[in-house]
Amino acid sequence: MAILKIPTIPSKIAESIESLRSQGWQDEDFFNFSGYDEECPEARVLYHFFRNNRVIFAAAIINHYQIVDRM
């Protein structure tokens, strides 16, 4: 039996996800990297987070996530 964990992401990433969702982005848009416009800072942040954390990123987009702030 697999144990599913809710991914934990930094608040900056969560803010970027929610900002883009409020602009009309759907789940599929987050995986379409040609849509990551260099003029959009939220998209740039997510693109770099994805490059280093692919599994966490995908789980956060498709499922729910928890937020953690690193101090």
Side-chain angles (χ1 to χ4, degrees):
M1 181 186 304
I3 297 174
L4 300 175
K5 293 184 179 181
I6 297 174
T8 303
I9 60 174
S11 60
K12 179 71 174 172
I13 300 303
E15 290 169 10
S16 295
I17 290 171
E18 296 309 317
S19 174
L20 292 171
R21 284 196 191 280
S22 72
Q23 295 176 31
W25 281 43
Q26 302 295 316
D27 289 349
E28 308 83 45
D29 298 320
F30 288 97
F31 299 106
N32 177 12
F33 295 107
S34 62
Y36 280 60
D37 185 355
E38 292 201 19
E39 300 290 321
C40 181
E42 292 92 353
R44 261 196 324 266
V45 166
L46 290 182
Y47 178 75
H48 290 290
F49 183 78
F50 170 80
R51 287 180 39 201
N52 297 313
N53 305 283
R54 292 176 187 203
V55 173
I56 293 171
F57 178 81
I61 296 299
I62 295 170
N63 300 309
H64 299 286
Y65 53 81
Q66 296 176 348
I67 300 170
V68 65
D69 281 318
R70 296 182 184 153
M71 297 194 168

